[in-house]
Amino acid sequence: MSNASDFIHQMPRISECQRILKAAAMLDAILMPEWEYRYYSYNTQWDANEQMASMRDGEGDHYFALFDSSNRLIIKGYDKAYASLHQDQLGNVLEGVPADFKTTFLDEPAFMMDQTTFCIWNEEEQNEWTSSRHLADEAYALLEVLVGGAEHYHAWAQEYYEVELDLEPIQHVFAMKPLDEQLLQALNPEIELDELEEDIAEIGYRFRRNDI
């Protein structure tokens, strides 16, 4: 039986997580052309047979998610507010992580393992989320987009980027519909498709140029 909170049991399958995190990264690229001010990112070319998604809020909160060649997903995160309130619970938060993740994930300096308030993983054969520690649902607040989807992103982005956005084009991106000029204009009329070429390639999002 997995050692997991109620929140983790609401988490979607690995393929669905991949879709959601790609969508959030693509929307951030559209809404915020300057990479350093974005919240979500996704890199389909992180390493051979590995893809990586991340979130950074610029104030210390972050998570890193690694999709590997064995159809597995592991996510670690750091929530400053949770850490300050529950420091006594975090001593062995990485205990129990499968050894197969050591070289690709636990030993990766970019993932800042010394700053971790939660770590969860899903191995495709079980398709079950697991954590080495049973933490309160609040420990996973940084992962709300994986449960709330387009509606969560819509509410969050309007506040974070201080813009008014229609829900429908955001739902289109979360549905992985190809990005075109018409959809782009509905989200950010000040950016053109050509300006997103590198982001589209890195995220691995589909687009078309002739449906304007």
Side-chain angles (χ1 to χ4, degrees), residues 21-38:
L21 295 178
K22 279 189 174 186
M26 191 71 257
L27 284 162
D28 265 23
I30 294 168
L31 297 173
M32 176 49 65
E34 298 179 65
W35 189 89
E36 62 267 28
Y37 297 117
R38 297 176 193 169

Side-chain angles (χ1 to χ4, degrees), residues 28-159:
D28 265 23
I30 294 168
L31 297 173
M32 176 49 65
E34 298 179 65
W35 189 89
E36 62 267 28
Y37 297 117
R38 297 176 193 169
Y39 201 83
Y40 297 103
S41 65
Y42 194 100
N43 189 344
T44 58
Q45 302 149 12
W46 171 250
D47 204 347
N49 301 313
E50 292 177 353
Q51 301 186 22
M52 188 271 287
S54 66
M55 180 285 292
R56 303 183 196 194
D57 72 351
E59 298 181 357
D61 291 351
H62 65 263
Y63 67 68
F64 295 95
L66 186 72
F67 299 84
D68 72 13
S69 58
S70 299
N71 294 319
R72 301 179 305 173
L73 170 58
I74 183 168
I75 310 173
K76 64 82 59 174
Y78 180 75
D79 185 318
K80 284 199 308 180
Y82 189 85
S84 65
L85 292 173
H86 304 280
Q87 191 62 45
D88 59 321
Q89 300 179 17
L90 304 178
N92 59 347
V93 72
L94 294 173
E95 183 181 349
V97 176
D100 288 350
F101 286 120
K102 180 173 173 56
T103 56
T104 59
F105 191 76
L106 296 178
D107 290 345
E108 172 52 62
F111 297 159
M112 298 183 286
M113 303 310 287
D114 59 322
Q115 298 179 26
T116 301
T117 52
F118 70 84
C119 186
I120 60 175
W121 57 92
N122 188 327
E123 300 184 82
E124 182 68 24
E125 59 268 21
Q126 287 91 28
N127 194 39
E128 181 179 89
W129 287 99
T130 306
S131 171
S132 58
R133 296 294 305 273
H134 189 284
L135 302 174
D137 286 355
E138 65 186 89
Y140 304 102
L142 301 181
L143 300 179
E144 283 287 349
V145 70
L146 290 173
V147 173
E151 289 74 15
H152 173 84
Y153 183 91
H154 176 247
W156 168 83
Q158 290 192 111
E159 180 178 354

Side-chain angles (χ1 to χ4, degrees), residues 147-172:
V147 173
E151 289 74 15
H152 173 84
Y153 183 91
H154 176 247
W156 168 83
Q158 290 192 111
E159 180 178 354
Y160 185 77
Y161 291 118
E162 298 181 339
V163 293
E164 289 191 18
L165 297 166
D166 290 334
L167 177 59
E168 185 175 1
I170 290 174
Q171 290 173 324
H172 283 191

